Amino acid sequence: MKNIYSNIYSFNEKVLKKTIKSLNLGNILSLPTETVYGLAGNAYSEKAIKKIFKLKKRPKKNPLIIHFFNLKNLKKDAILNNNFFKLYKKFCPGPITFILKKNERSKICPLATANLDTIAVRFPSHKIIRSILKLIKFPLAMPSANISSNLSPVNAADVYEEFKNKLEIIVEGGKSKIGIESTVVDLTSKPKILRPGIISSKEIKKYLKINFSKAGSKVKSPGMLKKHYSPGIPVRLHGKPKSLNHAYIIFGKKYKSKPNYFNLSKKGDLREAAANLYKIMRKIKNKGYKKIFVCKIPNLGPGIAINDRLERASK
Ligand code: TXA
Ligand code: MG
């Protein structure tokens, strides 16, 4: 069924069929995941991958995450190792992405992996994306559904705001529960977190006996652009609003409520704060504020991922 936006569809059997037909034709559409909404296309199709890069205005050197239904489908495309199996067993399907060596026989379009000999793989848990992955005969390349360097979308209307009618189908899947992108962990050698997420390094360390590489050694994520997750207005990590057209992002119960104050989590829950981060930043921008100030967010657990995104948004 269609709603006020001509290309946003609520999910049902008919839309499932329409979605699969469209993906089979090499088209790009937007699908919900538990982290953020994605821009999905057939990872084996050069035509589809080219369209994704073009739509997002994404630099060619920034590789895409390839989404699979299960292990059986992955073996043809990636070389699996013990650390991968340990984390897969514990966290999948879920908000974590693994960097693995690409299988030489893989049919994944080389453009999707930016011609690297590695591949980023993820098994999303949202039931809509799983029902689609189960029925198609190829994995989905799926970056976040935003123009490169913008905020990631956490509901169907956010995706519409980014791409308007350039997408034939945006599937409505409700607000993304996690609200920030998956944790990216490199497992090609000594495990290393390339992008922090809701699943923290502390959590991952419980299952890998091996220590993580030290931060500061050369980061291998080609697309980890310094400026990213930008709401389109300046973000300042220190200081407080100086006028009413400055918004203040706050966290916890010690703040009074004011019209230009936006609380990530009144009860001081970092998971809730992460889930609200992009939603609140987009809302602030759309209300016409000229600048965003942010209070200090505790740098532990999901706080590490929140601070990573805020840091990049402030560049
Ligand atoms: O939660 C998510 O991961 C979402 C949803 C839609 O699944 N997707 C997402 O994709 O965040 P994207 O394209 O916005 O971010 C992919 C990240 C980039 O930082 C990219 O550089 C990194 O994964 N990446 C992809 N392939 C890589 C590789 N072979 N080696 C290192 N980093 C890689
Ligand atoms: Mg992204």
Side-chain angles (χ1 to χ4, degrees):
M1 196 181 60
K2 287 192 179 186
N3 49 30
I4 56 162
Y5 302 95
S6 60
N7 53 353
I8 297 184
Y9 293 84
S10 326
F11 196 65
N12 56 34
E13 271 304 310
K14 208 172 135 201
V15 172
L16 174 66
K17 283 199 185 114
K18 190 177 162 73
T19 302
I20 289 173
K21 192 173 162 198
S22 179
L23 289 168
N24 281 335
L25 288 171
N27 294 335
I28 306 308
L29 38 88
S30 180
L31 301 174
T33 87
E34 72 281 15
T35 56
V36 299
Y37 275 64
L39 208 54
N42 178 352
Y44 293 155
S45 155
E46 189 182 42
K47 174 181 142 194
I49 300 303
K50 279 187 170 161
K51 278 194 218 162
I52 291 182
F53 278 92
K54 194 166 169 214
L55 271 164
K56 269 187 72 88
K57 305 195 176 95
R58 181 172 176 116
K60 291 277 182 334
K61 65 173 199 300
N62 189 358
L64 309 175
I65 297 176
I66 314 299
H67 298 66
F68 292 83
F69 180 68
N70 62 19
L71 280 188
K72 190 169 153 256
N73 298 331
L74 172 67
K75 282 183 187 144
K76 286 178 286 185
D77 293 310
I79 297 170
L80 314 185
N81 59 42
N82 277 339
N83 286 334
F84 165 77
F85 284 119
K86 284 182 196 158
L87 298 183
Y88 177 85
K89 220 163 109 188
K90 184 63 203 166
F91 298 112
C92 293
I96 185 163
T97 294
F98 309 101
I99 310 298
L100 297 170
K101 287 255 155 59
K102 197 169 167 179
N103 189 329
E104 275 173 24
R105 286 166 308 169
S106 169
K107 287 195 296 180
I108 303 280
C109 170
L111 288 177
T113 51
N115 289 305
L116 297 170
D117 57 4
T118 56
I119 174 175
V121 308
R122 173 159 126 74
F123 307 85
S125 65
H126 194 293
K127 63 178 193 304
I128 293 182
I129 183 88
R130 278 188 65 78
S131 67
I132 294 166
L133 283 169
K134 194 175 174 183
L135 294 174
I136 54 182
K137 299 211 157 46
F138 43 85
L140 290 176
M142 197 164 56
S144 51
N146 52 279
I147 308 283
S148 204
S149 94
N150 284 2
L151 289 174
S152 296
V154 291
N155 62 52
D158 293 354
V159 178
Y160 185 83
E161 201 174 289
E162 292 288 320
F163 295 104
K164 304 288 184 306
N165 291 314
K166 285 186 189 154
L167 300 173
E168 179 199 350
I169 303 171
I170 301 171
V171 176
E172 175 60 77
K175 157 129 188 14
S176 302
K177 285 209 174 71
I178 306 284
I180 55 168
E181 304 80 358
S182 60
T183 305
V184 177
V185 51
D186 182 358
L187 298 176
T188 55
S189 53
K190 205 171 171 187
K192 180 168 182 174
I193 304 278
L194 301 185
R195 179 174 72 184
I198 278 295
I199 298 178
S200 64
S201 61
K202 198 175 157 198
E203 188 68 16
I204 293 174
K205 274 180 191 157
K206 287 188 201 160
Y207 306 97
L208 297 187
K209 283 207 181 81
I210 187 164
N211 276 332
F212 280 92
S213 300
K214 284 202 180 68
S217 50
K218 198 164 171 272
V219 173
K220 237 179 57 176
S221 214
M224 286 299 267
L225 311 169
K226 276 222 172 83
K227 183 186 157 65
H228 207 332
Y229 316 112
S230 165
I233 51 173
V235 175
R236 297 281 170 265
L237 302 186
H238 307 288
K240 283 183 174 174
K242 292 162 190 70
S243 77
L244 279 177
N245 63 18
H246 293 170
Y248 197 25
I249 294 185
I250 54 177
F251 172 79
K253 54 178 179 282
K254 71 173 187 189
Y255 297 89
K256 286 196 198 109
S257 79
K258 292 190 185 176
N260 59 334
Y261 281 27
F262 297 84
N263 206 328
L264 292 176
S265 168
K266 280 194 183 120
K267 58 180 190 230
D269 175 344
L270 287 166
R271 243 187 129 86
E272 180 180 62
N276 284 331
L277 182 67
Y278 293 151
K279 191 178 94 179
I280 284 180
M281 291 219 276
R282 201 175 274 273
K283 185 165 155 192
I284 290 172
K285 181 198 92 182
N286 288 339
K287 280 181 178 265
Y289 286 97
K290 299 287 179 254
K291 219 182 221 188
I292 301 179
F293 288 85
V294 190
C295 80
K296 206 169 159 47
I297 312 283
N299 203 39
L300 42 103
I304 296 172
I306 297 173
N307 285 324
D308 167 75
R309 305 309 191 271
L310 286 170
E311 187 74 36
R312 288 173 207 275
S314 73
K315 288 282 184 289

